[in-house]
Amino acid sequence: MGLLLAAALASLQGCATTGGGTKPGLHAADAEISDPLEPMNRKVFDFNMGLYDHVIEPVAKGYEQVTPMFVRTRVANFFANAGYPYIILNDFLQLRVHQGLSDVSRFVGNTLFGVGGLFDFANRFDLPPHENNLGVTLGVWGVPQGPYLVLPFFGPSSLRSLPGIPAAILASPFYYVSSTPAQWSITTLGVVNEGYTERGAVRMVKEAVFPYYFARSAWLQHQEYLIRGRALSSRELMEQLGPEQPEAPPASEKPAAH
Amino acid sequence: MKKLPFVFLLLGGLSLAAPSAALAEPASAPPHAAAAGAPRLVVEQLDDALLAAMKQAHKLGYTGRYRSLAPVIERTYDFPAVAALVLGGQWSRLSPAQQREFVAALRDYTIATYAARFDGYAGERFAIKSIQPLPPNRMVVSSTLTESGGKVHSLDYLMQPVAGQWRVINVVADGVSDLALKQAEFTHLLEQRGFPGLIAGLKGYIARMAQGKE
């Protein structure tokens, strides 16, 4: 693990200094994106979409048909709750103590009083769910993003976020289940649940005008948002308008339908 | 909307970090913001229209939601400004006729997105949290969308006055700027397939939104 982290961080620093893969001439928001592996990423992206179409989605639809909503919600709650040790670890690594304490309360409450996380007990006590991961922690610590990556099965990522995959596995309670059949069963149900709960997001990507760029932009923006502590300054809002703010056409040029 | 897994991918906003005074409506609003409540009203009207469409989603169907939302969305957005911002430097290279065609396609694209995505109701609620002036002449309306499960999404509307009316030029949902998403997609499409390809891409999207939607 240490070696993996060290290797990833070293590569990341290298990429940050070269800044390869950016595309001059595109809009400012896009020009800052480092995607030197775009040809390969796009192939993996297509593979993932194909996998979703031909395997994950049919299985998720079958799951939806054979299980009542009550069961699907309990399963989704259970897996979401099991992900909290990883989220809490990252909360405190980022020194976001208030969020960390809220997430500890949420995890303990749901585990003890929500029957192992099957019921979202914490929701009644204004303890909202949060997102967090090691890529965000490294970003908070100042580690550059590095090149954008699309991973088989996992989807959008970056060099900085790569160590988050083994970290999430090690922080998961399921990793410490000793029975191999039980581990396989949990993993299989987890994949089915993921396919079911994320189908709306995947549908949005699939239906986009340019799915690859849509997914890349959304993922990168959301990571930055989490790194900033879910905040956006006025300066950032204005920067999103780009360096050029061309004049809109005069009213007379507006379409009649307006 | 039975579930909002990535609501930020729709059209969005974000709660600004510092609450209270910094984000409150200014005590002495500039003349153009004479009615500081005007931007709030625009967002409230959009939220109300969305909730109404969500609550009657199945009765209305996609076409009904499109028709009911269209006038509100047309009043909400400054589509010519959004179109110019999305295409950046490439906007000025389009002929006036192409600019008009793109603005019209962008309007249809936006309405189709709302009509397709807000397709059910499960207790979601909107709330406006603050209004912040953004000099020289813009305002940010920060709001939230809370899912029935308790998950809270932030929605920030960046607005500017157009002929005396406040209009939205960008929405940022959980940190994801709708303008940046469109820039990422549309500028690539324009570069790779030209203006006809961009319009065809938008029309294809609108057709996909209508297809198979209840």
Side-chain angles (χ1 to χ4, degrees):
Chain A
M1 180 63 185
L3 277 176
L4 180 66
L5 260 174
L9 291 175
S11 311
L12 209 55
Q13 297 294 351
C15 291
T17 51
T18 58
T22 56
K23 295 183 175 180
L26 288 180
H27 198 278
D30 214 39
E32 292 170 4
I33 292 172
S34 171
D35 190 3
L37 304 173
E38 183 175 331
M40 185 189 76
N41 282 340
R42 291 184 67 149
K43 284 180 184 160
V44 178
F45 179 84
D46 291 341
F47 167 78
N48 285 346
M49 289 291 109
L51 183 74
Y52 184 83
D53 286 345
H54 297 105
V55 180
I56 307 287
E57 189 177 36
V59 171
K61 277 184 179 168
Y63 172 64
E64 191 172 6
Q65 283 171 354
V66 300
T67 53
M69 173 66 91
F70 178 83
V71 171
R72 295 195 301 273
T73 305
R74 301 289 84 75
V75 170
N77 286 347
F78 176 72
F79 280 100
N81 192 57
Y84 263 80
Y86 178 58
I87 291 172
I88 292 164
L89 177 68
N90 283 289
D91 287 342
F92 287 110
L93 285 173
Q94 295 160 23
L95 301 180
R96 286 174 175 152
V97 177
H98 180 77
Q99 181 172 312
L101 292 175
S102 169
D103 287 338
V104 166
S105 305
R106 183 177 176 79
F107 177 65
V108 171
N110 279 347
T111 304
L112 293 181
F113 304 108
V115 198
L118 293 176
F119 293 88
D120 191 354
F121 176 83
N123 189 32
R124 298 180 190 175
F125 295 93
D126 196 22
L127 294 167
H130 294 112
E131 290 176 68
N132 218 336
N133 60 62
L134 189 58
V136 173
T137 298
L138 294 174
V140 169
W141 291 354
V143 177
Q145 176 88 260
Y148 175 72
L149 298 172
V150 182
L151 305 176
F153 309 107
F154 290 95
S157 186
S158 71
L159 196 54
R160 181 175 63 196
S161 295
L162 270 184
I165 294 173
I169 292 169
L170 288 172
S172 167
F174 303 139
Y175 181 75
Y176 301 95
V177 173
S178 54
S179 159
T180 305
Q183 275 205 348
W184 275 106
S185 303
I186 290 168
T187 303
T188 305
L189 184 58
V191 170
V192 173
N193 172 65
E194 190 80 4
Y196 168 73
T197 56
E198 296 301 326
R199 66 199 188 290
V202 176
R203 187 186 75 175
M204 278 183 231
V205 171
K206 282 163 58 70
E207 290 177 341
V209 171
F210 219 137
Y212 178 82
Y213 295 116
F214 180 91
R216 186 179 73 179
S217 177
W219 187 84
L220 290 170
Q221 286 190 69
H222 190 61
Q223 287 295 298
E224 287 304 311
Y225 169 71
L226 295 176
I227 289 168
R228 291 191 305 263
R230 295 180 292 143
L232 186 66
S233 70
S234 301
R235 182 179 59 80
E236 286 154 346
L237 268 172
M238 293 303 285
E239 277 177 0
Q240 288 177 349
L241 302 181
E244 299 173 54
Q245 294 184 32
E247 292 293 324
S252 59
E253 289 187 8
K254 291 180 184 177
H258 280 232
Chain B
M1 184 181 307
K2 298 158 199 84
K3 182 168 164 55
L4 294 164
F6 277 359
V7 71
F8 56 82
L9 293 182
L10 294 177
L11 301 153
L14 167 137
S15 62
L16 298 168
S20 68
L23 297 179
E25 294 176 23
S28 56
H32 62 263
R40 170 190 288 272
L41 191 62
V42 172
V43 175
E44 280 177 347
Q45 285 173 346
L46 175 65
D47 290 347
D48 289 346
L50 288 173
L51 276 177
M54 289 160 73
K55 287 176 180 174
Q56 299 185 74
H58 299 296
K59 185 181 165 192
L60 291 170
Y62 171 82
T63 308
R65 294 196 299 275
Y66 187 102
R67 284 183 185 149
S68 70
L69 290 171
V72 179
I73 291 170
E74 284 176 3
R75 282 199 306 271
T76 302
Y77 283 89
D78 181 0
F79 284 114
V82 174
L85 288 164
V86 165
L87 295 187
Q90 301 183 72
W91 170 257
S92 58
R93 293 182 207 128
L94 300 181
S95 69
Q98 286 176 321
Q99 289 181 349
R100 284 194 296 275
E101 190 177 358
F102 178 62
V103 171
L106 185 64
R107 183 204 60 201
D108 293 344
Y109 165 98
T110 305
I111 300 167
T113 301
Y114 274 107
R117 302 298 186 217
F118 290 82
D119 61 352
Y121 179 71
E124 293 87 354
R125 58 187 193 276
F126 293 99
I128 292 177
K129 297 297 180 188
S130 65
I131 301 178
Q132 182 193 39
L134 203 59
N137 65 339
R138 292 190 172 113
M139 301 281 270
V140 181
V141 177
S142 298
S143 68
T144 56
L145 168 57
T146 306
E147 290 184 49
S148 54
K151 190 163 188 181
V152 181
H153 301 278
S154 57
L155 297 167
D156 281 354
Y157 294 86
L158 180 59
M159 305 180 74
Q160 67 181 20
V162 181
Q165 301 292 319
W166 284 92
R167 300 284 181 95
V168 173
I169 56 170
N170 192 20
V171 192
V172 186
D174 283 349
V176 179
S177 156
D178 185 52
L179 203 55
L181 282 180
K182 288 189 175 86
Q183 285 163 353
E185 292 186 275
F186 298 178
T187 53
H188 280 98
L189 205 57
L190 186 60
E191 284 196 345
Q192 294 180 16
R193 299 180 201 167
F195 184 74
L198 173 62
I199 296 298
L202 288 173
K203 287 185 174 170
Y205 172 89
I206 294 161
R208 286 197 295 283
M209 291 296 100
Q211 209 167 36
K213 301 288 192 306
E214 293 177 356

